[in-house]
Amino acid sequence: MKLHIQNNFTTELPADPSEINIPRQVERACFSYVTPKQPSKPTFIHASEEVAYLIGLSSKDIVSEEFLNVFSGKTVYPETKPYALPYAGHQFGNWAGQLGDGRAINLTEVVHNNQSYTLQLKGAGPTPYSRTADGFAVLRSSIREHLCAEAMHYLGVPTTRSLSLMLSGDEVLRDILYNGNPAYEKGAIVCRVAPSFIRFGSFELFYSRNDRVNLKLLTDFTIKHHFPDIKSESVTKYLDFFQEVSRTTLDMIVHWQRVGFVHGVMNTDNMSIHGVTIDYGPYGWLEDYNPNWTPNTTDRENKRYRFGNQPEIALWNLYKLANALYLLINDAKPLEEILNAFSVNYQKEYLNMMRNKLGLKVTKEEDAILIESLTELLQLIETDMTIFFRNLSNIQKTDTVEVAFDVIKEAFYNEKDLNASILDNWHVWLEHYKNRIIQESLTDAERKEQMNAVNPKYVLRNYIAQLCIDDADKGDYSLLNELFELLKKPYDEQPNSQKWFAKRPDWARDKVGCSMLSCSS
Ligand code: AMP
Ligand code: MG
């Protein structure tokens, strides 16, 4: 197994002089060297071939002993020195102080095909940033991360990737619902891959300590290596950087709203500087379309991170990043302009995205109303988001509203909830929609093809992930393998997998892991 190693981060930025691996405050340093804990009996569960190719590995490498050892943390790859990053953050709206890679250890940077990547183990043991926790991860949450990160990639949503999933052979104690019922679970390790794991919170840390020197070092480093298109200097350079982070963050959120993904913990420490989805914890997928839904039980009261609030929160988080960068810019006005533009641009991009979901190519003023009335309608009775949009593409210009209604009604969880007034509302909307698609030049078949390219048929529904976890806990990984392959082609019909194009079954409605998740992972 041959990796092309690069050490830009650790050679160019200041290291923590201490290598003592106990929880502590780390000042004036961008990283701490730390060695993964050796797992007692590492076992290979799954790897993503495509991610392996991305970093220059082959199918043969994946099944090698060295792959298992390196990506479970058993051995350190030659000439590398693993490290963890400090960062800070706002959690659920409150300043949380120093956080950092508490159970993530960066193995190394690698270069392949002129692209550089950081490889990071999640769940490989404690670091100076573990605070009161153990540094490990359980199989349940590692499966969720491995499957979902890759599924998101194939959906076209910017995300960190997941190379591998290994069992550690060790047991990890977790109180899933934080209700005083801890139990042992199987420990696991995922290897994540991204350009870097620098977060909004990385900048907030230095800002909070008024450490302008390290803030500047980190920002300059980030721009130099990860934003090579920024050619400007001094203050403009930092503004361009912030502008670019705002843009990619916005793009990511539009994608989340398109596919019905709810991150669940949009704390500033869980926001990647690259505008990619990071930290798959208590995330979930909308089943019935409900903007107020969050899968995260920790957030049940305020629902700060509910589906419909994700754009607002992204902006809130960008404010925090702007605050931190202000220390280098010293001028609030241009930062405010970028922040103000976010909402306007979001609205525009959101409408475009929804137009695409509806198969509308021409831009018309009235579309905003068509879209708004649809999202209201989708909430009147439980309506499955994925099934609704997928089936909508089967409507034909010549259909009567009754026929059109038949096409979409599979999406309703309980048809008995439909009363005359709701039915009437649907007929009105479908009439409007039909008139609208008649004004387009696309044929029915062309529109269907375009809609099916943005409305996935298969997403990692919460209950499907849970079924896979239940099997894997018993040592059966066949469903994991099946789902991994299925989710590589989420827009394809895949008739043999039709059973996964189904509404959430009733047993999963209020089940832990399916609709209720916590940060305990
Ligand atoms: P999260 O909100 O899950 O992304 O985590 C917030 C902070 O807690 C981060 O600094 C994590 O590294 C840390 N953390 C979460 N779980 C653990 C764990 N099991 N051991 C150590 N640190 C953890
Ligand atoms: Mg996190």
Side-chain angles (χ1 to χ4, degrees), residues 4-23:
H4 290 269
I5 301 304
Q6 172 181 280
N7 297 311
N8 288 341
F9 196 92
T10 50
T11 35
E12 294 181 32
L13 291 171
D16 171 6
S18 166
E19 293 190 20
I20 300 173
N21 193 2
I22 52 161

Side-chain angles (χ1 to χ4, degrees), residues 45-165:
I45 298 182
H46 191 266
S48 164
E49 279 202 326
E50 200 185 285
V51 181
Y53 301 156
L54 213 57
I55 60 167
L57 297 181
S58 67
S59 315
K60 243 173 88 190
D61 290 328
I62 292 175
V63 291
S64 69
E65 178 133 14
E66 192 182 11
F67 185 90
L68 171 66
N69 288 342
V70 169
F71 297 113
S72 67
K74 188 173 179 198
T75 56
V76 172
Y77 189 79
E79 318 279 310
T80 64
K81 197 165 175 189
Y83 55 99
L85 309 190
Y87 52 82
H90 282 82
Q91 298 185 313
F92 299 95
N94 304 308
W95 176 243
Q98 180 188 293
L99 300 165
D101 289 334
R103 54 154 162 193
I105 299 177
N106 300 283
L107 294 180
T108 179
E109 294 165 41
V110 296
V111 187
H112 185 62
N113 286 336
N114 289 323
Q115 293 283 326
S116 66
Y117 305 93
T118 300
L119 312 185
Q120 183 186 72
L121 297 187
K122 184 169 176 179
T127 75
Y129 309 104
S130 298
R131 300 180 293 154
T132 56
D134 58 10
F136 298 111
V138 294
L139 179 60
R140 153 175 64 85
S141 56
S142 305
I143 288 177
R144 285 170 50 82
E145 169 128 20
H146 183 64
L147 273 182
C148 195
E150 289 303 286
M152 291 281 267
H153 167 74
Y154 292 108
L155 282 164
V157 185
T159 178
T160 57
R161 303 292 301 270
S162 184
L163 171 66
S164 56
L165 170 66

Side-chain angles (χ1 to χ4, degrees), residues 241-459:
F241 168 59
F242 184 64
Q243 169 76 65
E244 187 57 10
V245 177
S246 303
R247 187 187 68 76
T248 54
T249 301
L250 187 150
D251 180 58
M252 171 184 81
I253 301 287
V254 173
H255 279 291
W256 288 2
Q257 306 308 100
R258 171 173 68 84
V259 298
F261 176 79
V262 190
H263 182 284
V265 206
M266 285 179 74
N267 294 335
T268 54
D269 52 302
N270 289 337
M271 298 291 289
S272 160
I273 207 69
H274 304 289
V276 299
T277 314
I278 191 173
D279 278 12
Y280 291 89
Y283 68 82
W285 295 82
L286 281 195
E287 280 164 317
D288 55 295
Y289 181 87
N290 176 2
N292 290 321
W293 186 72
T294 173
N296 187 355
T297 48
T298 316
D299 192 22
R300 193 164 26 191
E301 295 296 314
N302 297 318
K303 297 198 192 308
R304 178 180 171 85
Y305 298 139
R306 61 190 182 273
F307 178 69
N309 213 29
Q310 298 190 126
E312 274 296 316
I313 292 293
L315 178 59
W316 194 93
N317 290 343
L318 283 163
Y319 265 95
K320 297 299 160 198
L321 178 62
N323 266 338
L325 295 175
Y326 175 78
L327 202 54
L328 303 177
I329 295 170
N330 270 310
D331 184 2
K333 201 155 172 282
L335 285 168
E336 275 165 12
E337 279 167 13
I338 296 170
L339 290 163
N340 291 339
F342 182 94
S343 306
V344 180
N345 292 339
Y346 177 78
Q347 209 41 42
K348 200 170 118 225
E349 293 303 322
Y350 172 79
L351 282 180
N352 282 340
M353 175 275 283
M354 289 299 282
R355 262 192 205 102
N356 286 334
K357 282 180 84 68
L358 294 177
L360 307 175
K361 295 287 133 195
V362 185
T363 304
K364 299 218 177 233
E365 282 286 312
E366 71 200 57
D367 293 344
I369 298 167
L370 183 76
I371 290 162
E372 201 187 322
S373 52
L374 173 63
T375 54
E376 279 166 17
L377 210 44
L378 286 171
Q379 296 171 61
L380 291 184
I381 65 166
E382 281 188 333
T383 311
D384 193 272
M385 177 180 177
T386 305
I387 295 180
F388 173 80
F389 282 103
R390 191 71 186 188
N391 283 8
L392 190 68
S393 69
N394 292 325
I395 289 181
Q396 313 232 324
K397 290 178 184 175
T398 52
D399 284 347
T400 62
V401 286
E402 286 78 14
V403 170
F405 182 77
D406 270 348
V407 170
I408 55 115
K409 74 175 187 204
E410 180 192 358
F412 299 128
Y413 272 83
N414 200 341
E415 249 187 89
K416 284 197 227 97
D417 295 341
L418 274 174
N419 59 31
S421 132
I422 296 173
L423 188 65
D424 202 44
N425 284 335
W426 271 111
H427 284 174
V428 171
W429 189 84
L430 287 165
E431 186 65 41
H432 189 169
Y433 179 60
K434 255 173 21 86
N435 289 336
R436 186 60 188 78
I437 56 180
I438 287 167
Q439 297 168 38
E440 298 273 332
S441 56
L442 297 178
T443 64
D444 286 328
E446 287 165 344
R447 188 178 61 260
K448 179 180 163 115
E449 194 183 324
Q450 296 201 7
M451 288 171 77
N452 286 355
V454 292
N455 295 319
K457 173 142 181 169
Y458 302 104
V459 294

